[in-house]
Structure formats: C-alpha cells, structure tokens
Amino acid sequence: MVDFRARAQRFVEERFPIAEASFLGGSAATGRATESSDLDILVVLPEQWKADSFVETTDYEGQLVEVFVYGRDALQSWLIKGREGRRPVLDKLIGEGIALTGGRAARDLIDGSRRVLDHGPADPDPAELGVRAYSLSAVLDDLVDVADPGERFTLKATVWREAAELALLIRRRWLGTGKWLFRELLVGPDEFGLVAWAAGSHDTDDLLKAGRAVLDAAGGRVQAGFLRGVRPPGL
C-alpha cells in the first residue's frame, strides 16, 4: 500500500513550498484509502494571498489530488459557510485530518475545528424541518405504489437520502454528501435502521418503515395544509 501521508507531504513541498499550513484529509487520513483513492489536501497560504482561494484537481505520482487552497481570510469565510450549511468539509479536513506542515499555525486551526465539530451544528430551523418532512412524506407515498423498476430504484435512493439527512438534523448532527452521509450515520446508534438498510437487503418495506420512523421522530407526516411562504390576507 502506498504511503499516502508521505506522498501528500512531497506534493505540498514541491507544489506549495510557501504553505503556512497544510493538511491531508479524506479517506487517506482515516485509513480507508485504496489504491484508486485520491488525495484531499488543504493548503493555507501566507498573508500575501489572504483573500485568495481555489480548488484544483491535479495528478501527482500517478494519483489524483484534489487540493483546496485558501488564504487565511478566505479560509475563515469558507469554514463559516460549511458550518452554517451543516456540512463542515474543511473543518473535518483540518480537525480529523493529518497536519503535514505548519507547526503552531496548524495546531491553532486544528483546535478551532475540533471545537466546532465536537459542539455540533446549530439547532435546525423549524421552517427547514417542515420542508424536509413534507418532502419525505411525499416521496414515501410515491414509493408505496410505484411499479416501474427504474422509478422504484430512484425513489428508494431519494427516500434513504432524505430520511438520513432529516434523522441527522433532528439529532443535531452534521450532514454529509455521498459516502460521507453514510459515514455520519455510522457515528451514532442506528435507531431508525437506515444504516442496516443501506448495508442489507434494500427491502422496500424496511425502507418505508425506517422513513416513517424518522418522520415520527421529526413530528409526524406533513402534507395537507402545509404552506411555504406567506399567504397574503384576502386569499
């Protein structure tokens, strides 16, 4: 197996020797990387580039590298954006990743990101919960009677994702996308059976049961009478 940390360090030393701090995140930092995995690397630039930011996918030693490059001010802006959206990608890269360079600068960033991750996201807005519960209620109903195999496959994927996100929201936990959504569910108990369903038989009835359990925990089904926006007087 490739020494991903050593490769990541070489990448930073060669491509970004001026880095104020750098981190290796993703699967390579958690021990889940395979030979086909890419490297997720965060580079923090010195003061001269404090407002700059870009993300580049490149190749290094035959491996894909996705490098997130930020000046200090730009990094703070994107950290805040991720926290507010409950998808703290950069905080996880810093707080759960491996520091490659940076000394005190890296340690300060790690301390800040770990505090944020440990605290968890803010309480969800009731309006957002209502919209999500409405959407899950509707797609569950669609799944009950669907006959077309292609539509059933699509609806099952949608139900699972929406139920997983709503379950994490009501438990005040961080969200994720793709495989990281599943990994977020793995952090706590599988009280709704969503992890077991994803790793098991994919039975439709089991998924309906799991989705309805999430809705019950969120306050119940939301359909008739649900209003988005403000209905003006007289209508």
Side-chain angles (χ1 to χ4, degrees), residues 1 6 8 13-14 21 30 34 47 64 70 78 87 93 96 118 127 142 160 164 172-173 180 202 216 231:
M1 178 66 71
E13 290 167 0
E14 292 179 20
T30 61
T34 66
E47 180 71 14
L64 281 178
Y70 299 93
W78 282 98
R87 289 183 170 86
L93 204 158
E96 298 177 356
D118 290 345
D142 288 341
W160 188 88
R172 199 170 164 271
R173 288 166 51 198
W180 295 102
H202 300 169
D216 288 343
R231 185 169 183 166

Side-chain angles (χ1 to χ4, degrees), residues 1-12 23-41 60-65 98 100:
M1 178 66 71
V2 173
D3 186 339
F4 294 112
R5 177 175 182 169
R7 177 174 285 173
Q9 285 180 315
R10 291 194 297 273
F11 172 84
V12 173
F23 303 87
L24 172 65
S27 298
T30 61
R32 296 183 176 183
T34 66
E35 294 291 347
S36 63
S37 296
D38 61 1
L39 294 180
D40 296 314
I41 298 174
Y60 183 74
E61 296 184 0
Q63 185 173 15
L64 281 178
V65 177
I98 298 170
L100 300 172

Side-chain angles (χ1 to χ4, degrees), residues 23-190:
F23 303 87
L24 172 65
S27 298
T30 61
R32 296 183 176 183
T34 66
E35 294 291 347
S36 63
S37 296
D38 61 1
L39 294 180
D40 296 314
I41 298 174
L42 170 64
V43 171
V44 184
L45 299 172
E47 180 71 14
Q48 179 181 349
W49 295 278
K50 65 181 181 180
D52 293 298
S53 66
F54 64 91
V55 180
E56 180 180 21
T57 301
T58 185
D59 181 89
Y60 183 74
E61 296 184 0
Q63 185 173 15
L64 281 178
V65 177
E66 188 167 23
V67 56
F68 303 79
V69 185
Y70 299 93
R72 273 301 189 112
D73 290 355
L75 176 60
Q76 288 304 312
S77 295
W78 282 98
L79 286 170
I80 291 170
K81 183 176 181 179
R83 295 163 187 172
E84 291 177 344
R86 300 189 186 87
R87 289 183 170 86
V89 175
L90 296 180
D91 275 310
K92 284 184 172 291
L93 204 158
I94 295 168
E96 298 177 356
I98 298 170
L100 300 172
T101 58
R104 178 59 183 272
R107 289 195 296 273
D108 288 346
L109 287 168
I110 290 170
D111 289 345
S113 288
R114 286 180 177 173
R115 284 195 299 270
V116 167
L117 294 174
D118 290 345
H119 182 268
D123 291 332
D125 181 80
E128 180 184 0
L129 286 179
V131 170
R132 286 180 175 273
Y134 175 81
S135 179
L136 180 56
S137 298
V139 76
L140 280 169
D141 283 351
D142 288 341
L143 181 58
V144 170
D145 298 321
V146 66
D148 182 88
E151 291 183 2
R152 184 184 304 111
F153 172 83
T154 303
L155 286 169
K156 287 166 75 170
T158 303
V159 166
W160 188 88
R161 177 182 54 78
E162 293 197 9
E165 291 184 350
L166 183 55
L168 290 170
L169 280 174
I170 62 178
R171 294 299 182 250
R172 199 170 164 271
R173 288 166 51 198
W174 298 109
L175 303 181
T177 56
K179 63 186 178 184
W180 295 102
L181 177 58
F182 180 76
R183 291 179 181 179
E184 288 294 340
L185 287 175
L186 290 174
V187 174
D190 188 25

